Amino acid sequence: MHALFALIAAGFLWVSRKYLITGTQFKKAWNDLLVRPGRAVLVVVALIIGLWGVGTIIVSTVILRNDLSENFLQTRPPHAILTSKNFDRLDLTKFRALPEVESAEFRDLALQRVEAYPNQWISLWLFGIEDFKNFNLAQFHYQSGDSIPHRGSMLIERDCLSISDLKTGKVANVRVGRRKLQVPISGVSFDPAQAPATQDHMVYAYVDKGTWEDITGESANQRLIVRVKDPRTTGDVQAGVDEIVAYLKSADITLTTLNIPKLNEHPHQWQLNTILFLIGTLGFLAFLMGAVLVSQLMAAIMSQHIRQIGVLKAIGASRWQVLRIYNIMVVILGVIAGAIAIPLAVSSGFAFARFVGTKINFDILTSQLPTHVYLALVVASILLPIAFSSPSLLRGVRIPVRDALGDYGIKQNGSGNKMKGASIHRLPSTLIMAARNVAKRRKRLAVTVVTMALGVAIFASGFNVRQSLANLLSDMKNGMKYDAQVVFKEQIPKDMAIAPFKSLDNVSRIETWNGGRGELQTMVVSTDGGVGIVALPYNTDLYCVPLAEGRWLQESTETEVVMNRKATQIYQNLAVGGYQTLQLGGKEVKVKLVGVVDELEKAKIYMDIDQYDAFANPEHLVNSLMFVAIDKNYDKVKDMMRNIENVISASDFNVLYAMVPAERVKIIYDHLNIILTIIVFLAFLVLLVAALGMASATGINIMERTREIGVLRAIGATPKKVYSLFLAEGMIVSGAGIALGLLLAWPLSSLASPFFGSLMLGDGGSLRFAWSGTGAVITLVTTVVFGWLASRIPAGNAVKISTREALAYE
């Protein structure tokens, strides 16, 4: 990579030297840079910051977009998942020969529970593999230990190691109804097609068909995974699946469920899309601020070279010849900055991609970036500095010879005439003088204040969006008025479900639902299309989440439903008041949408339990118990939960999971945590670049007023007085930027919150705007400190200039 950059940069310089520039021009540009090496270093640092930031974004985006998709697609994920109790009638060889079928195999799945830590039980997804030596769909990779588990043992997915003390060589406790089995762990696998275990808080395990039957007590070959031939769109998949379903019906095979996952999309693709949007948007803003920084620095160089430009033009140099000298200077700076920034960008881009990969559980497969990425970085390092500095350079070379030769570095424009004849000792205050000086360069003042304000606004908005997400989680937690939840794998009679728990201490009441609240419920109670249903009493007081649109369920002669945002998308963005026909238990049910909720869940439909039972559950079976505690003290609820687990252990219940609402919210929070972290980190990066721009503007101001500093010192101003003056000027600009930024944060947050809500909740979803008081305090303190440093450092440099050097400034 270094060699590639060096080759391209050398080629660019050779072409420029051969056809565009002369040795004299190059020598002058180089010598001018060496006159003030500190200034050249400042320019290079500014370019490095901008290129590093943009390069990191380019590199990480290329890697992440490619590798998540590549990890997922390499597993050959199924296009359809079908379950049936009578697949024993299926001739799999003949089925695989169908023109619509690319490949098919049995992959059984049972949802059990495993002891992750002592007395802590979480969900276990147990997959039964038909043949570990020869499976072509939903592939996973060997990580460590045995690649093929021996009979009676299992492999676990590597991400599960982070949420449990399970590991190779250990014996896992697995609970199946009353039975508590001990299953040795013989190895670790990697399955990039699964949602991260660290976020969903579940364990994935893989066993052979015989072991699966031994553990579950069920017959194998009841779940079939299929890939259709050459699908390009979801419609192609649906068409192929329709043919497959028709074939199965002709073979007298009745499907229990049919699930068509999103085509070629990882379960957490939404998470990566949000991350990429964040780093792209905020990184672009940071780069624009870096461009402003470079432009200001080149303007400073031009301001010091005005008389030189006048001399060059006086002896016959054309504007183009003069411009070439300064473009050479920019190219030299760009090459130096690129040689440093590009390797840093590549390294940090890979590091950031690995960080995201760890959080979403996929491997970084990219080892070498495509050549066009390096070319883009090289072009950015050489041509973009020229493009962004061109306005300053063009203004400089257009100055008439007479004006250029008459420049002495002291300007008397704007409000400067108000200071005429005033002695520094007769000023009302240093602050008034600083304010008048700041107003002299109104355009630069505006650019600096707006840049600082944008950085402050983005930083504050990051905290506000984070607060909006926190409020959504709080609404979800507060909306769950129950204190514990037990969800069974199957629907069972209500009395049978409640009876063992009636005598528990600290239980006020137990309410029964069907479908429950978790993401897994799509496998328990759902439409025939797999959309999860939560069947609960319409007048329940145990679920009170705020509605985004419409109203909650109420007693009605019509069949009413409330959907979350993702469910409305499935039904063609169904609007409140509209009707939709659902397939429930093989029957068509016309329902009316009366409300929409925003929640971080998969597609969910909420329906009154009596109305659901009338269509799909005539035996009034239930699968979810919602416990309400008498004493809601945390320790008392924990004791109640332990008692619930003891009852489950002594019963024949097949439990899917048992948890308290706080655990459910924790699971959702873990999905968002990486996004929340990146929001604040990138917002801080934008603020840092804005502060550098502020420091740069102050430094430019001081360089341009070098002779003025000499005059002030000559008429008696002490170094402390000069320091106070420039510090006050910097703090005025910084204060204006902070104040404007905090004002801009309000409308910016109001736009950002619904936008991120749409990304995470589904189209039309919205996060309610929230103002983060803590974020405002952190923003104020951070920006004041940055503003003070951005003013103090250039002001400190000003007092180091001796009176003789300042007065001799050219």
Side-chain angles (χ1 to χ4, degrees), residues 26 34 70 163 167 172 213 330 333 406 437 480 633 691 750 794:
F26 185 88
L34 295 180
E70 190 67 20
I163 60 168
K167 57 185 177 182
E213 291 182 328
V330 176
L333 294 172
N437 286 339
M480 301 176 200
N633 178 273
S750 299

Side-chain angles (χ1 to χ4, degrees), residues 98-171:
L98 293 175
E100 300 81 22
V101 176
E102 176 188 305
S103 55
E105 61 189 56
F106 288 111
R107 180 68 55 84
D108 290 299
L109 171 61
L111 305 181
Q112 309 294 348
R113 302 180 76 209
V114 64
E115 192 173 27
Y117 294 103
N119 298 318
Q120 293 185 22
W121 296 82
I122 62 177
S123 295
L124 169 68
W125 286 37
L126 187 68
F127 292 96
I129 309 300
E130 189 171 10
D131 183 358
F132 272 94
K133 294 182 180 179
N134 182 29
F135 64 95
N136 298 311
L137 296 182
Q139 296 175 341
F140 49 88
H141 312 295
Y142 164 77
Q143 196 80 17
S144 63
D146 293 339
S147 58
I148 300 176
H150 57 80
R151 180 68 180 265
S153 70
M154 65 183 183
L155 308 180
I156 62 170
E157 211 282 327
R158 69 178 188 183
D159 209 34
C160 308
L161 302 175
S162 301
I163 60 168
S164 69
D165 61 3
L166 303 175
K167 57 185 177 182
T168 302
K170 190 164 184 177
V171 177

Side-chain angles (χ1 to χ4, degrees), residues 84-92 106 219-223 251-254:
S84 174
K85 295 291 185 181
N86 46 20
F87 272 142
D88 55 331
R89 303 172 185 169
L90 179 66
D91 183 337
L92 192 57
F106 288 111
S219 299
N221 296 351
Q222 296 187 35
R223 183 174 180 267
D252 198 24
I253 296 173
T254 303

Side-chain angles (χ1 to χ4, degrees), residues 53-66:
V54 172
T56 299
I57 290 163
I58 292 173
V59 171
S60 60
T61 300
V62 168
I63 295 171
L64 291 173
R65 284 195 182 280
N66 175 73

Side-chain angles (χ1 to χ4, degrees), residues 423-471:
S423 169
I424 192 168
H425 300 292
R426 296 199 301 271
L427 287 174
S429 70
T430 302
L431 188 62
I432 293 177
M433 185 177 181
R436 291 176 176 173
N437 286 339
V438 165
K440 290 179 181 179
R441 294 274 191 176
R442 290 189 176 92
K443 289 184 179 179
R444 181 179 298 164
L445 173 64
V447 171
T448 305
V449 169
V450 169
T451 302
M452 188 71 180
L454 189 57
V456 173
I458 291 172
F459 190 58
S461 297
F463 283 102
N464 294 339
V465 172
R466 186 184 179 98
Q467 186 63 46
S468 294
L469 288 168
N471 288 353

Side-chain angles (χ1 to χ4, degrees), residues 472 517 543-552 562-568 576 593 595-600 604 606 761 765-766:
L472 177 63
R517 287 278 303 119
Y543 183 62
C544 308
V545 69
L547 278 88
E549 300 177 37
R551 59 169 174 82
W552 185 247
V562 171
M563 295 184 181
N564 66 10
R565 191 72 63 178
K566 290 183 180 178
T568 64
V576 171
L593 179 65
V596 177
V597 295
D598 283 329
E599 59 180 1
L600 289 159
K604 281 284 186 294
Y606 297 91
L761 302 174
S766 178

